[in-house]
Amino acid sequence: MDKNALSPTDIAGGVDDHLLKTVGVAPAQATPTELMQAVAQVAREQLSRRWVATQARERNEQARRVYYLSMEFLIGRTLGNALAALDLGEGATAAAQQHAQKLEDVADREPDAALGNGGLGRLAACFLDSMATLGLPSFGYGIRYEYGMFAQDIQNGCQVEYPDPWLANGTPWEFPRSGVSYPVRFGGWVEHHGDKALWRNAAEVAAKAHDMVIPGHGTNKVSTLRLWKAVAPAHIDLHAFNTGDYARAAGVKNEYENISWVLYPNDSTPAGRELRLRQEYFFVAASVQDILGRHLEEHGTLANLADKVAMHLNDTHPAIAVAELMRVLCDEHGMAWATAWGITQRVFSYTNHTLMPEALETWPVALMQHVLPRHLEIIFRINQDFLDFAAKFRPGDMGFLARLSLIDESGERRVRMANLSIVGSHKVNGVSALHSDLLVKTIFADFAALWPDRFTNMTNGVTPRRWLAQANPGLAGLLDRTLGAKWRLDLDQLQALRDQRGNAAFREEFMAIKRANKARLAEHIARTTGIAVDPASLFDVQVKRIHEYKRQLLNLLHVVSRYQAILAHPNAGWVPRTVIFAGKAASSYAMAKNIIRLIHDVGQVVNRDPRVAGLLKVVFIPNYGVSVAEVIMPGADLSEQISTAGTEASGTGNMKLALNGALTIGTDDGANIEIRQNVGDDNIFIFGLKTPEVVSLRAAGYQPMRYYESNPQLKQVLDAIAGGAFSPEEPGRYRGLVDSLLWGGDHYLLLADYGTYVETQLRVDALYRQSGEWASRAIANVAGMGAFSSDRTIREYAQQIWGMTPAP
Ligand code: 26Q
């Protein structure tokens, strides 16, 4: 494929060369970390070649490009993926062997690039992988956070957060582009001279580009992730510096550079913090300058911008780009407002990732006036034009206009970033069929009435390279032997596995691989929690951010029920289970942190009770992230996707788990519905209220107490938790948590779904006892997951939203 492909000898030689010259150690004495750095350098050189070639080609072709604007890219580790994409895996394995090391241990030394919170950030990383693989001319744009997602430690059962200094030892993967730097301005005021607006800013910071090269698989093409670092302008507070007041000079420098210091956690409610707004504008302003600069270099005019540039908004976090592009086109390039607006709407598209109204991003008008005075003016003008148009659609309907307005006028005036994104885009999408349907029926119904064709669906996907080939080499090997290697680039080929469901030898091999993956996961659990779990037990897995709507607490109610039921009926032939949780709680989200603590407290009691030994274990794996997920996904038997129907936009962990042969127990929510359609009703456990039933139950006046009073099993569970059975040293510890269910309205309807959930878990047991049947259904899950490759998702975006045709 690659005429520059390196032989194993070249690779081993390159590694030794880099150990000596780049890392600075004697090759014979290299530690695993040093070896990791040297192997990375060998890959880096090849990436660099591909980057230069790709850029030259796209420039020559004057290609249309897509720019994916995202505050988050949850990349994880790069080495394993880069070696696979560059076809250097075997050579690197051999090179490591020459140093008496295993490549797996070497790769383990790389820190995760955790520049994201969860699903949205990881989706952006999967999309980059697919854009590169499909050869789509593309850039990701984001922030080079000095500190990524916090590291989670558990102390006495409680989450403790530590900073994530992922750059402390440098990273071999970035290319600092010293020549690519743009000024980004903040604050001040606006002067109007005739019809000209002049923004007199108060402050300015430099945005410096740091690129990560994203290799495509099965192609020499790459994509670029360009991350911006904030750097104080050189002249900053020269006076303090010259008078020897270094502390003050450093303080001023920090005030500028803190913009790219740390990733904001996804709080239960979005924080209205000024620094977050500065972050959003900072990376948008730098990206827009970079994009327009490249366009002008290649085309010499902005008139054809929309023919050559697509900019995608990953949620509303970069929505200020709509106002920024208008500002640059009108104020800096003298374009007429209407012309600029036509271009802007053709350039932008927007993905929404949440239905929950309280999670929609808004900024106080007063804050925006202070930080971005010119942008606020532009937003007001966009709003005026828009409301004039909308008023003709439903004359006299003031409620309609108030809901559509870019400004929320109830209470403290706020800018609605979702409204700005919709008005400024030609396409708006949700991330699963149900979610996209609910968007136009609920939070965006008024916009859908105006512009029905603007709204569409793009069901999420995950990259099979990381989430199957890399994470699960055992299963990947079996697939290669059965189907050939092409499934990596054409995941629909997994369909052929359906024929293997009845093949006893195949089943046996498939389950042997699952057992080995479970043994590996059990080792990870032992190492990180000190708890010994039995790989022969059913591994029941719920891994995701801790959120009330995701209902980790419902899972735990089942665990406690099962514990009590085993005690009551010890000889009922229980299927041994290990219930595995992992996930981070936002630092300010008290209820989420309390749920983590309860999981630990239940574990403390259950795991030490000899009466349930061998039948039930509860573990919480600390510091969930991409690399931990790569160990968990392949080792799961059962995937818990139990959000209240209508709350989980899509989910992507559900896809990773099913792709690795876990059966799903889940609600009729997000992408679970499409997973069911693709794997078949018999191969998934769907339970609980459906979205319309959730709506009508709430409308009828949901009374959680009724379920408590009528279900003795549920009553026993809640009484035990509330009474301190799992916190004997502080019996009242979970009174408040239980009260929030019984008296606080149980907003996410745990008690309403509890009964069917527990029943369904018994059906899971029954199937697991028939190991051949279970294997057949697990295989059916893998076979049905072709549709959930992010390659399919990106093809849809390219064709239906970005106006691009990827190579077939
Ligand atoms: C907002 C304001 C201030 C600070 C942080 C935030 C913030 C940051 C991250 C708000 C939300 C997020 C992340 C949301 C997210 O991950 N949503 C998930 O997106 C996935 C990909 O589409 C879906 O699969 C999940 O269903 C959805 O929850």
Side-chain angles (χ1 to χ4, degrees), residues 72 117-121 123 264-267 270-271 276 280 315 317 352-354 359 361 431 460 549-550 648-652:
E72 308 194 0
N117 274 287
L120 168 153
L123 186 74
Y264 262 82
N266 167 14
D267 282 349
R276 167 87 182 182
E280 294 184 357
D315 215 297
H317 314 152
N352 169 284
H353 296 265
T354 181
E361 205 182 11
V431 291
N460 283 168
Y549 82 82
K550 294 175 187 282
E648 188 69 273
S650 162
T652 46

PDB file of all heavy atoms in Angstrom, residues 72 117-121 123 264-267 270-271 276 280 315 317 352-354 359 361 431 460 549-550 648-652, ligand 1:
ATOM      1  N   GLU A  72     -14.335  19.757  22.752  1.00  0.00           N
ATOM      2  CA  GLU A  72     -13.816  18.523  23.334  1.00  0.00           C
ATOM      3  C   GLU A  72     -13.407  17.524  22.250  1.00  0.00           C
ATOM      4  O   GLU A  72     -14.127  17.333  21.269  1.00  0.00           O
ATOM      5  CB  GLU A  72     -14.900  17.863  24.216  1.00  0.00           C
ATOM      6  CG  GLU A  72     -15.502  18.823  25.232  1.00  0.00           C
ATOM      7  CD  GLU A  72     -16.316  18.136  26.320  1.00  0.00           C
ATOM      8  OE1 GLU A  72     -16.419  16.893  26.299  1.00  0.00           O
ATOM      9  OE2 GLU A  72     -16.840  18.853  27.182  1.00  0.00           O
ATOM     10  N   ASN A 117     -15.208  15.425  28.221  1.00  0.00           N
ATOM     11  CA  ASN A 117     -15.946  14.931  29.380  1.00  0.00           C
ATOM     12  C   ASN A 117     -16.431  13.500  29.198  1.00  0.00           C
ATOM     13  O   ASN A 117     -16.321  12.677  30.101  1.00  0.00           O
ATOM     14  CB  ASN A 117     -17.166  15.814  29.618  1.00  0.00           C
ATOM     15  CG  ASN A 117     -16.847  17.024  30.477  1.00  0.00           C
ATOM     16  OD1 ASN A 117     -16.648  16.883  31.677  1.00  0.00           O
ATOM     17  ND2 ASN A 117     -16.757  18.192  29.861  1.00  0.00           N
ATOM     18  N   GLY A 118     -17.042  13.240  28.056  1.00  0.00           N
ATOM     19  CA  GLY A 118     -17.697  11.942  27.874  1.00  0.00           C
ATOM     20  C   GLY A 118     -18.118  11.754  26.430  1.00  0.00           C
ATOM     21  O   GLY A 118     -17.317  11.984  25.512  1.00  0.00           O
ATOM     22  N   GLY A 119     -19.384  11.393  26.238  1.00  0.00           N
ATOM     23  CA  GLY A 119     -19.884  10.984  24.924  1.00  0.00           C
ATOM     24  C   GLY A 119     -19.616  11.966  23.798  1.00  0.00           C
ATOM     25  O   GLY A 119     -19.165  11.577  22.721  1.00  0.00           O
ATOM     26  N   LEU A 120     -19.901  13.242  24.051  1.00  0.00           N
ATOM     27  CA  LEU A 120     -19.739  14.245  23.001  1.00  0.00           C
ATOM     28  C   LEU A 120     -18.286  14.366  22.563  1.00  0.00           C
ATOM     29  O   LEU A 120     -17.989  14.467  21.363  1.00  0.00           O
ATOM     30  CB  LEU A 120     -20.293  15.572  23.529  1.00  0.00           C
ATOM     31  CG  LEU A 120     -20.049  16.884  22.809  1.00  0.00           C
ATOM     32  CD1 LEU A 120     -21.184  17.848  23.120  1.00  0.00           C
ATOM     33  CD2 LEU A 120     -18.744  17.508  23.254  1.00  0.00           C
ATOM     34  N   GLY A 121     -17.376  14.335  23.513  1.00  0.00           N
ATOM     35  CA  GLY A 121     -15.958  14.449  23.207  1.00  0.00           C
ATOM     36  C   GLY A 121     -15.417  13.206  22.519  1.00  0.00           C
ATOM     37  O   GLY A 121     -14.614  13.286  21.588  1.00  0.00           O
ATOM     38  N   LEU A 123     -17.206  11.139  20.741  1.00  0.00           N
ATOM     39  CA  LEU A 123     -17.800  11.118  19.403  1.00  0.00           C
ATOM     40  C   LEU A 123     -16.930  11.914  18.435  1.00  0.00           C
ATOM     41  O   LEU A 123     -16.662  11.492  17.309  1.00  0.00           O
ATOM     42  CB  LEU A 123     -19.211  11.695  19.439  1.00  0.00           C
ATOM     43  CG  LEU A 123     -19.986  11.587  18.121  1.00  0.00           C
ATOM     44  CD1 LEU A 123     -20.444  10.152  17.886  1.00  0.00           C
ATOM     45  CD2 LEU A 123     -21.192  12.522  18.107  1.00  0.00           C
ATOM     46  N   TYR A 264     -13.483  22.454  31.169  1.00  0.00           N
ATOM     47  CA  TYR A 264     -14.611  22.595  32.101  1.00  0.00           C
ATOM     48  C   TYR A 264     -15.356  21.273  32.234  1.00  0.00           C
ATOM     49  O   TYR A 264     -15.637  20.618  31.231  1.00  0.00           O
ATOM     50  CB  TYR A 264     -15.598  23.641  31.587  1.00  0.00           C
ATOM     51  CG  TYR A 264     -15.405  24.994  32.223  1.00  0.00           C
ATOM     52  CD1 TYR A 264     -14.439  25.863  31.759  1.00  0.00           C
ATOM     53  CD2 TYR A 264     -16.187  25.389  33.309  1.00  0.00           C
ATOM     54  CE1 TYR A 264     -14.251  27.105  32.342  1.00  0.00           C
ATOM     55  CE2 TYR A 264     -16.012  26.626  33.897  1.00  0.00           C
ATOM     56  CZ  TYR A 264     -15.044  27.478  33.409  1.00  0.00           C
ATOM     57  OH  TYR A 264     -14.865  28.698  33.990  1.00  0.00           O
ATOM     58  N   PRO A 265     -15.692  20.885  33.459  1.00  0.00           N
ATOM     59  CA  PRO A 265     -16.478  19.664  33.605  1.00  0.00           C
ATOM     60  C   PRO A 265     -17.930  19.917  33.218  1.00  0.00           C
ATOM     61  O   PRO A 265     -18.426  21.030  33.330  1.00  0.00           O
ATOM     62  CB  PRO A 265     -16.369  19.347  35.087  1.00  0.00           C
ATOM     63  CG  PRO A 265     -16.138  20.664  35.742  1.00  0.00           C
ATOM     64  CD  PRO A 265     -15.394  21.521  34.743  1.00  0.00           C
ATOM     65  N   ASN A 266     -18.562  18.877  32.711  1.00  0.00           N
ATOM     66  CA  ASN A 266     -19.966  18.911  32.342  1.00  0.00           C
ATOM     67  C   ASN A 266     -20.803  18.845  33.617  1.00  0.00           C
ATOM     68  O   ASN A 266     -21.098  17.790  34.125  1.00  0.00           O
ATOM     69  CB  ASN A 266     -20.224  17.706  31.437  1.00  0.00           C
ATOM     70  CG  ASN A 266     -21.672  17.421  31.218  1.00  0.00           C
ATOM     71  OD1 ASN A 266     -22.531  18.242  31.516  1.00  0.00           O
ATOM     72  ND2 ASN A 266     -21.957  16.252  30.695  1.00  0.00           N
ATOM     73  N   ASP A 267     -21.156  19.994  34.136  1.00  0.00           N
ATOM     74  CA  ASP A 267     -21.898  20.047  35.402  1.00  0.00           C
ATOM     75  C   ASP A 267     -23.351  19.636  35.213  1.00  0.00           C
ATOM     76  O   ASP A 267     -23.838  19.547  34.094  1.00  0.00           O
ATOM     77  CB  ASP A 267     -21.869  21.464  35.968  1.00  0.00           C
ATOM     78  CG  ASP A 267     -20.548  21.760  36.639  1.00  0.00           C
ATOM     79  OD1 ASP A 267     -19.752  20.819  36.837  1.00  0.00           O
ATOM     80  OD2 ASP A 267     -20.314  22.925  36.958  1.00  0.00           O
ATOM     81  N   PRO A 270     -25.285  23.890  33.373  1.00  0.00           N
ATOM     82  CA  PRO A 270     -24.137  24.582  32.787  1.00  0.00           C
ATOM     83  C   PRO A 270     -23.767  25.817  33.601  1.00  0.00           C
ATOM     84  O   PRO A 270     -24.618  26.620  33.946  1.00  0.00           O
ATOM     85  CB  PRO A 270     -24.608  24.945  31.383  1.00  0.00           C
ATOM     86  CG  PRO A 270     -26.075  24.700  31.352  1.00  0.00           C
ATOM     87  CD  PRO A 270     -26.450  23.843  32.506  1.00  0.00           C
ATOM     88  N   ALA A 271     -22.514  25.926  33.878  1.00  0.00           N
ATOM     89  CA  ALA A 271     -22.042  27.027  34.708  1.00  0.00           C
ATOM     90  C   ALA A 271     -21.930  28.295  33.863  1.00  0.00           C
ATOM     91  O   ALA A 271     -21.424  28.259  32.765  1.00  0.00           O
ATOM     92  CB  ALA A 271     -20.703  26.662  35.301  1.00  0.00           C
ATOM     93  N   ARG A 276     -15.346  30.287  30.798  1.00  0.00           N
ATOM     94  CA  ARG A 276     -15.872  29.342  29.816  1.00  0.00           C
ATOM     95  C   ARG A 276     -16.260  30.077  28.523  1.00  0.00           C
ATOM     96  O   ARG A 276     -15.965  29.628  27.420  1.00  0.00           O
ATOM     97  CB  ARG A 276     -17.067  28.593  30.409  1.00  0.00           C
ATOM     98  CG  ARG A 276     -17.907  27.805  29.440  1.00  0.00           C
ATOM     99  CD  ARG A 276     -17.394  26.407  29.213  1.00  0.00           C
ATOM    100  NE  ARG A 276     -18.221  25.715  28.230  1.00  0.00           N
ATOM    101  CZ  ARG A 276     -18.049  24.462  27.843  1.00  0.00           C
ATOM    102  NH1 ARG A 276     -17.062  23.747  28.349  1.00  0.00           N
ATOM    103  NH2 ARG A 276     -18.829  23.915  26.954  1.00  0.00           N
ATOM    104  N   GLU A 280     -14.703  29.595  24.744  1.00  0.00           N
ATOM    105  CA  GLU A 280     -15.489  29.328  23.546  1.00  0.00           C
ATOM    106  C   GLU A 280     -15.120  30.304  22.438  1.00  0.00           C
ATOM    107  O   GLU A 280     -14.885  29.911  21.290  1.00  0.00           O
ATOM    108  CB  GLU A 280     -16.993  29.410  23.877  1.00  0.00           C
ATOM    109  CG  GLU A 280     -17.435  28.299  24.838  1.00  0.00           C
ATOM    110  CD  GLU A 280     -18.932  28.262  25.146  1.00  0.00           C
ATOM    111  OE1 GLU A 280     -19.682  29.141  24.667  1.00  0.00           O
ATOM    112  OE2 GLU A 280     -19.356  27.343  25.863  1.00  0.00           O
ATOM    113  N   ASP A 315     -22.448  20.646  19.239  1.00  0.00           N
ATOM    114  CA  ASP A 315     -23.293  21.280  20.246  1.00  0.00           C
ATOM    115  C   ASP A 315     -23.131  22.805  20.147  1.00  0.00           C
ATOM    116  O   ASP A 315     -22.547  23.316  19.194  1.00  0.00           O
ATOM    117  CB  ASP A 315     -22.991  20.760  21.651  1.00  0.00           C
ATOM    118  CG  ASP A 315     -24.274  20.695  22.487  1.00  0.00           C
ATOM    119  OD1 ASP A 315     -24.888  21.756  22.733  1.00  0.00           O
ATOM    120  OD2 ASP A 315     -24.685  19.593  22.872  1.00  0.00           O
ATOM    121  N   HIS A 317     -21.438  24.796  22.030  1.00  0.00           N
ATOM    122  CA  HIS A 317     -20.230  25.375  22.643  1.00  0.00           C
ATOM    123  C   HIS A 317     -19.465  26.305  21.692  1.00  0.00           C
ATOM    124  O   HIS A 317     -18.936  27.320  22.145  1.00  0.00           O
ATOM    125  CB  HIS A 317     -19.342  24.269  23.220  1.00  0.00           C
ATOM    126  CG  HIS A 317     -20.108  23.252  24.024  1.00  0.00           C
ATOM    127  ND1 HIS A 317     -19.709  21.947  24.168  1.00  0.00           N
ATOM    128  CD2 HIS A 317     -21.282  23.348  24.701  1.00  0.00           C
ATOM    129  CE1 HIS A 317     -20.603  21.288  24.898  1.00  0.00           C
ATOM    130  NE2 HIS A 317     -21.566  22.115  25.228  1.00  0.00           N
ATOM    131  N   ASN A 352     -27.186  18.892  17.956  1.00  0.00           N
ATOM    132  CA  ASN A 352     -27.639  18.974  19.346  1.00  0.00           C
ATOM    133  C   ASN A 352     -27.403  17.618  20.015  1.00  0.00           C
ATOM    134  O   ASN A 352     -27.608  16.570  19.403  1.00  0.00           O
ATOM    135  CB  ASN A 352     -29.131  19.345  19.371  1.00  0.00           C
ATOM    136  CG  ASN A 352     -29.720  19.179  20.752  1.00  0.00           C
ATOM    137  OD1 ASN A 352     -29.990  18.070  21.207  1.00  0.00           O
ATOM    138  ND2 ASN A 352     -29.923  20.283  21.440  1.00  0.00           N
ATOM    139  N   HIS A 353     -26.959  17.647  21.273  1.00  0.00           N
ATOM    140  CA  HIS A 353     -26.690  16.396  22.001  1.00  0.00           C
ATOM    141  C   HIS A 353     -27.548  16.222  23.253  1.00  0.00           C
ATOM    142  O   HIS A 353     -27.288  15.309  24.032  1.00  0.00           O
ATOM    143  CB  HIS A 353     -25.225  16.308  22.423  1.00  0.00           C
ATOM    144  CG  HIS A 353     -24.255  16.257  21.288  1.00  0.00           C
ATOM    145  ND1 HIS A 353     -23.759  15.081  20.772  1.00  0.00           N
ATOM    146  CD2 HIS A 353     -23.688  17.245  20.562  1.00  0.00           C
ATOM    147  CE1 HIS A 353     -22.912  15.354  19.786  1.00  0.00           C
ATOM    148  NE2 HIS A 353     -22.860  16.662  19.635  1.00  0.00           N
ATOM    149  N   THR A 354     -28.498  17.100  23.477  1.00  0.00           N
ATOM    150  CA  THR A 354     -29.326  16.901  24.678  1.00  0.00           C
ATOM    151  C   THR A 354     -30.721  17.488  24.507  1.00  0.00           C
ATOM    152  O   THR A 354     -30.897  18.526  23.864  1.00  0.00           O
ATOM    153  CB  THR A 354     -28.689  17.503  25.938  1.00  0.00           C
ATOM    154  OG1 THR A 354     -29.535  17.239  27.051  1.00  0.00           O
ATOM    155  CG2 THR A 354     -28.522  19.015  25.828  1.00  0.00           C
ATOM    156  N   ALA A 359     -30.276  21.923  30.320  1.00  0.00           N
ATOM    157  CA  ALA A 359     -28.887  21.758  29.892  1.00  0.00           C
ATOM    158  C   ALA A 359     -28.548  22.622  28.674  1.00  0.00           C
ATOM    159  O   ALA A 359     -27.415  22.633  28.216  1.00  0.00           O
ATOM    160  CB  ALA A 359     -28.605  20.291  29.588  1.00  0.00           C
ATOM    161  N   GLU A 361     -27.445  25.723  26.625  1.00  0.00           N
ATOM    162  CA  GLU A 361     -26.502  26.765  27.002  1.00  0.00           C
ATOM    163  C   GLU A 361     -27.076  28.162  26.757  1.00  0.00           C
ATOM    164  O   GLU A 361     -27.562  28.451  25.659  1.00  0.00           O
ATOM    165  CB  GLU A 361     -25.246  26.569  26.137  1.00  0.00           C
ATOM    166  CG  GLU A 361     -23.991  27.105  26.730  1.00  0.00           C
ATOM    167  CD  GLU A 361     -22.795  26.924  25.790  1.00  0.00           C
ATOM    168  OE1 GLU A 361     -22.972  26.569  24.603  1.00  0.00           O
ATOM    169  OE2 GLU A 361     -21.686  27.159  26.260  1.00  0.00           O
ATOM    170  N   VAL A 431     -28.900  12.986  17.389  1.00  0.00           N
ATOM    171  CA  VAL A 431     -27.880  11.950  17.312  1.00  0.00           C
ATOM    172  C   VAL A 431     -28.424  10.518  17.382  1.00  0.00           C
ATOM    173  O   VAL A 431     -27.652   9.568  17.468  1.00  0.00           O
ATOM    174  CB  VAL A 431     -26.794  12.186  18.387  1.00  0.00           C
ATOM    175  CG1 VAL A 431     -25.979  13.435  18.052  1.00  0.00           C
ATOM    176  CG2 VAL A 431     -27.408  12.321  19.788  1.00  0.00           C
ATOM    177  N   ASN A 460     -25.491   8.365  15.814  1.00  0.00           N
ATOM    178  CA  ASN A 460     -24.081   8.240  16.194  1.00  0.00           C
ATOM    179  C   ASN A 460     -23.483   6.904  15.781  1.00  0.00           C
ATOM    180  O   ASN A 460     -24.204   5.941  15.482  1.00  0.00           O
ATOM    181  CB  ASN A 460     -23.936   8.362  17.722  1.00  0.00           C
ATOM    182  CG  ASN A 460     -24.048   9.800  18.211  1.00  0.00           C
ATOM    183  OD1 ASN A 460     -24.175  10.049  19.397  1.00  0.00           O
ATOM    184  ND2 ASN A 460     -23.978  10.753  17.314  1.00  0.00           N
ATOM    185  N   TYR A 549     -30.211  10.986  35.357  1.00  0.00           N
ATOM    186  CA  TYR A 549     -31.070  10.477  34.287  1.00  0.00           C
ATOM    187  C   TYR A 549     -30.568   9.133  33.739  1.00  0.00           C
ATOM    188  O   TYR A 549     -31.336   8.355  33.178  1.00  0.00           O
ATOM    189  CB  TYR A 549     -31.213  11.510  33.161  1.00  0.00           C
ATOM    190  CG  TYR A 549     -30.093  11.570  32.160  1.00  0.00           C
ATOM    191  CD1 TYR A 549     -30.031  10.668  31.102  1.00  0.00           C
ATOM    192  CD2 TYR A 549     -29.084  12.533  32.234  1.00  0.00           C
ATOM    193  CE1 TYR A 549     -29.009  10.712  30.171  1.00  0.00           C
ATOM    194  CE2 TYR A 549     -28.059  12.599  31.314  1.00  0.00           C
ATOM    195  CZ  TYR A 549     -28.026  11.680  30.287  1.00  0.00           C
ATOM    196  OH  TYR A 549     -26.998  11.726  29.366  1.00  0.00           O
ATOM    197  N   LYS A 550     -29.276   8.848  33.924  1.00  0.00           N
ATOM    198  CA  LYS A 550     -28.728   7.564  33.449  1.00  0.00           C
ATOM    199  C   LYS A 550     -29.070   6.414  34.409  1.00  0.00           C
ATOM    200  O   LYS A 550     -28.906   5.250  34.083  1.00  0.00           O
ATOM    201  CB  LYS A 550     -27.217   7.682  33.266  1.00  0.00           C
ATOM    202  CG  LYS A 550     -26.806   8.658  32.142  1.00  0.00           C
ATOM    203  CD  LYS A 550     -25.303   8.840  32.081  1.00  0.00           C
ATOM    204  CE  LYS A 550     -24.844   9.913  31.102  1.00  0.00           C
ATOM    205  NZ  LYS A 550     -24.855   9.467  29.697  1.00  0.00           N
ATOM    206  N   GLU A 648     -31.730  10.017  27.210  1.00  0.00           N
ATOM    207  CA  GLU A 648     -30.382   9.793  26.673  1.00  0.00           C
ATOM    208  C   GLU A 648     -30.425  10.047  25.176  1.00  0.00           C
ATOM    209  O   GLU A 648     -31.063   9.300  24.437  1.00  0.00           O
ATOM    210  CB  GLU A 648     -29.930   8.360  26.962  1.00  0.00           C
ATOM    211  CG  GLU A 648     -28.469   8.076  26.626  1.00  0.00           C
ATOM    212  CD  GLU A 648     -27.480   8.785  27.551  1.00  0.00           C
ATOM    213  OE1 GLU A 648     -27.141   9.952  27.249  1.00  0.00           O
ATOM    214  OE2 GLU A 648     -27.075   8.197  28.569  1.00  0.00           O
ATOM    215  N   ALA A 649     -29.730  11.094  24.720  1.00  0.00           N
ATOM    216  CA  ALA A 649     -29.841  11.465  23.312  1.00  0.00           C
ATOM    217  C   ALA A 649     -29.526  10.278  22.406  1.00  0.00           C
ATOM    218  O   ALA A 649     -30.279   9.972  21.476  1.00  0.00           O
ATOM    219  CB  ALA A 649     -28.918  12.637  23.009  1.00  0.00           C
ATOM    220  N   SER A 650     -28.422   9.617  22.668  1.00  0.00           N
ATOM    221  CA  SER A 650     -28.083   8.443  21.874  1.00  0.00           C
ATOM    222  C   SER A 650     -27.419   7.380  22.743  1.00  0.00           C
ATOM    223  O   SER A 650     -27.891   6.258  22.861  1.00  0.00           O
ATOM    224  CB  SER A 650     -27.121   8.848  20.743  1.00  0.00           C
ATOM    225  OG  SER A 650     -26.448   7.719  20.221  1.00  0.00           O
ATOM    226  N   GLY A 651     -26.298   7.782  23.366  1.00  0.00           N
ATOM    227  CA  GLY A 651     -25.410   6.798  23.960  1.00  0.00           C
ATOM    228  C   GLY A 651     -24.472   6.305  22.880  1.00  0.00           C
ATOM    229  O   GLY A 651     -24.858   6.225  21.692  1.00  0.00           O
ATOM    230  N   THR A 652     -23.243   6.016  23.243  1.00  0.00           N
ATOM    231  CA  THR A 652     -22.292   5.395  22.319  1.00  0.00           C
ATOM    232  C   THR A 652     -21.604   4.214  23.011  1.00  0.00           C
ATOM    233  O   THR A 652     -21.152   3.291  22.337  1.00  0.00           O
ATOM    234  CB  THR A 652     -21.239   6.409  21.821  1.00  0.00           C
ATOM    235  OG1 THR A 652     -20.749   7.140  22.943  1.00  0.00           O
ATOM    236  CG2 THR A 652     -21.836   7.361  20.818  1.00  0.00           C
TER     237      THR A 652
HETATM  238  C1  26Q B   1     -21.699  23.106  29.059  1.00  0.00           C
HETATM  239  C2  26Q B   1     -21.533  24.346  29.641  1.00  0.00           C
HETATM  240  C3  26Q B   1     -20.515  24.579  30.560  1.00  0.00           C
HETATM  241  C4  26Q B   1     -19.645  23.545  30.868  1.00  0.00           C
HETATM  242  C5  26Q B   1     -19.801  22.306  30.274  1.00  0.00           C
HETATM  243  C6  26Q B   1     -20.833  22.087  29.375  1.00  0.00           C
HETATM  244  C7  26Q B   1     -21.005  20.768  28.760  1.00  0.00           C
HETATM  245  C8  26Q B   1     -19.920  19.977  28.425  1.00  0.00           C
HETATM  246  C9  26Q B   1     -20.090  18.730  27.883  1.00  0.00           C
HETATM  247  C10 26Q B   1     -22.273  20.270  28.506  1.00  0.00           C
HETATM  248  C11 26Q B   1     -22.443  19.012  27.945  1.00  0.00           C
HETATM  249  C12 26Q B   1     -21.345  18.231  27.620  1.00  0.00           C
HETATM  250  C13 26Q B   1     -21.443  16.882  27.070  1.00  0.00           C
HETATM  251  C14 26Q B   1     -22.549  16.306  26.681  1.00  0.00           C
HETATM  252  C15 26Q B   1     -22.564  14.923  26.161  1.00  0.00           C
HETATM  253  O1  26Q B   1     -21.564  14.219  26.215  1.00  0.00           O
HETATM  254  N1  26Q B   1     -23.691  14.453  25.632  1.00  0.00           N
HETATM  255  C16 26Q B   1     -23.765  13.096  25.105  1.00  0.00           C
HETATM  256  O2  26Q B   1     -23.413  13.141  23.737  1.00  0.00           O
HETATM  257  C17 26Q B   1     -23.299  11.831  23.200  1.00  0.00           C
HETATM  258  C18 26Q B   1     -22.806  11.948  21.785  1.00  0.00           C
HETATM  259  O3  26Q B   1     -23.813  12.448  20.962  1.00  0.00           O
HETATM  260  C19 26Q B   1     -24.617  11.085  23.302  1.00  0.00           C
HETATM  261  O4  26Q B   1     -24.403   9.774  22.873  1.00  0.00           O
HETATM  262  C20 26Q B   1     -25.137  11.092  24.737  1.00  0.00           C
HETATM  263  O5  26Q B   1     -26.436  10.541  24.785  1.00  0.00           O
HETATM  264  C21 26Q B   1     -25.154  12.512  25.272  1.00  0.00           C
HETATM  265  O6  26Q B   1     -25.517  12.521  26.642  1.00  0.00           O
END
